[in-house]
Amino acid sequence: MEVTQSDLHAAAAAYQEFGYVCLPKFFSQTMLDKIEPVVRAFHDRWLEDNHAFYKSHAVNSSGLTADTYLNKAERQTLFTLIGCDSMTKLASALLRRPVYMNSQLFFDPYNPHQKNYWHRDGQYHLSIEEQQAALHGPDVIHVRIPLADEPGLELVPKSHKQWDSEQALDVRLERNGRSKSDSIPGSVALPLKRGDVLAFSANMLHRGLYGNQRFALDILFCEPEMHSFLNDVHQPCAEIRATLECLAVFP
Ligand SMILES: O=C(O)CCC(=O)C(=O)O
């Protein structure tokens, strides 16, 4: 879709207030038809190396743009999407000087009874105090690109800036008899169709909704203060950079 200035203003306002924004029919099916075979090739090759992890509990992989599983032509296809005009405009509307950070792929667990889990992305490497401070610090966004219609994500609106209720904290930390898959009051479920895009803050309270053989590519962008988290292996090489229409989101 051709993204307009008014779409971008509305997206920025929604993102600032709620911590997420859904843009229906953001990518054409033709664009996704070019991306999907590359993402499926990555997944097949990743599965060969990670079969035990997949069968035990995996729901995602990462590092699609590194050269571990994809060749240069395949990576170039992904970078064309990541750096395209509409993606650059969207990321620039939501973040100050967005920089491409990494990519992840979300799929259904092997065990259909495996439960999902509420979390904030930072909770696995930050203390509670650091997680609270992160709500006022530089931001990271996920831009979710579903390659199949999916149940989507469940989010707690405004939690990108607001700390957890007692109940939400008990759920995501599994305290006081709560489980991380329990429901949290005030959440919203956002089912997505192939072509839609969901941008949301990594800081916010969220969980994946499994089912329908979901297959979603998440592109992560950060603000400049987070440059120390960037790793060159995920960035385009000089040869690929020379082919891209716009380099604005690459460091
Ligand atoms: O879709 C999922 O399983 C979880 C998504 C998630 O945690 C994320 O994108 O950070």
Side-chain angles (χ1 to χ4, degrees):
M1 121 181 169
E2 191 56 44
V3 63
T4 66
Q5 275 308 319
S6 90
D7 294 332
L8 292 168
H9 278 129
Y15 182 80
Q16 293 311 326
E17 182 168 3
F18 299 109
Y20 70 93
V21 59
C22 188
L23 295 120
K25 299 189 179 163
F26 189 80
F27 284 120
S28 69
Q29 298 300 319
T30 314
M31 173 63 130
L32 298 178
D33 288 346
K34 288 187 196 138
I35 299 298
E36 184 171 347
V38 174
V39 177
R40 294 213 178 264
F42 173 90
H43 188 55
D44 291 346
R45 295 168 203 165
W46 179 90
L47 274 180
E48 280 172 29
D49 273 357
N50 293 278
H51 211 69
F53 175 40
Y54 171 65
K55 280 197 146 179
S56 74
H57 65 283
V59 291
N60 75 289
S61 55
S62 65
L64 283 80
T65 57
D67 63 7
T68 323
Y69 295 114
L70 295 180
N71 65 33
K72 201 177 285 172
E74 291 166 333
R75 282 182 280 126
Q76 196 222 350
T77 302
L78 296 184
F79 283 122
T80 301
L81 173 86
I82 295 165
C84 77
D85 188 59
S86 50
M87 186 79 120
T88 302
K89 284 180 175 156
L90 175 62
S92 306
L94 307 187
L95 293 185
R96 258 175 318 105
R97 291 198 285 128
V99 182
Y100 168 63
M101 203 178 183
N102 199 348
S103 53
Q104 297 180 329
L105 178 63
F106 288 87
F107 42 81
D108 279 343
Y110 178 79
N111 171 2
H113 304 296
Q114 183 172 315
K115 293 193 168 154
N116 59 7
Y117 56 99
W118 285 104
H119 63 285
R120 298 180 188 265
D121 279 6
Q123 76 181 61
Y124 303 107
H125 59 274
L126 299 177
S127 67
I128 287 287
E129 293 72 28
E130 288 167 334
Q131 291 170 43
Q132 285 172 323
L135 302 186
H136 311 289
D139 203 2
V140 175
I141 52 169
H142 281 252
V143 176
R144 170 156 296 201
I145 304 167
L147 294 168
D149 296 355
E150 63 168 40
L153 282 159
E154 192 172 349
L155 309 168
V156 176
K158 302 191 177 186
S159 59
H160 65 314
K161 295 288 172 208
Q162 289 174 4
W163 188 239
D164 309 49
S165 64
E166 272 305 304
Q167 182 174 344
L169 197 58
D170 283 348
V171 167
R172 78 175 164 97
L173 301 181
E174 302 209 289
R175 301 186 317 192
N176 297 320
R178 306 259 186 204
S179 155
K180 60 191 176 203
S181 63
D182 287 350
S183 54
I184 293 183
S187 68
V188 293
L190 300 166
L192 299 169
K193 291 203 176 305
R194 192 179 194 267
D196 299 348
V197 153
L198 171 67
F200 64 98
S201 171
N203 271 335
M204 75 188 308
L205 267 164
H206 62 280
R207 65 172 168 179
L209 298 173
Y210 307 154
N212 206 39
Q213 298 191 308
R214 71 191 188 134
F215 206 62
L217 175 64
D218 276 27
I219 304 300
L220 278 70
F221 295 97
C222 66
E223 291 184 316
E225 294 84 346
M226 313 215 39
H227 271 202
S228 59
F229 290 95
L230 300 178
N231 185 331
D232 278 352
V233 299
H234 302 302
Q235 302 297 336
C237 61
E239 214 177 309
I240 292 179
R241 290 174 79 94
T243 68
L244 299 176
E245 74 179 85
C246 172
L247 292 171
V249 297
F250 300 111

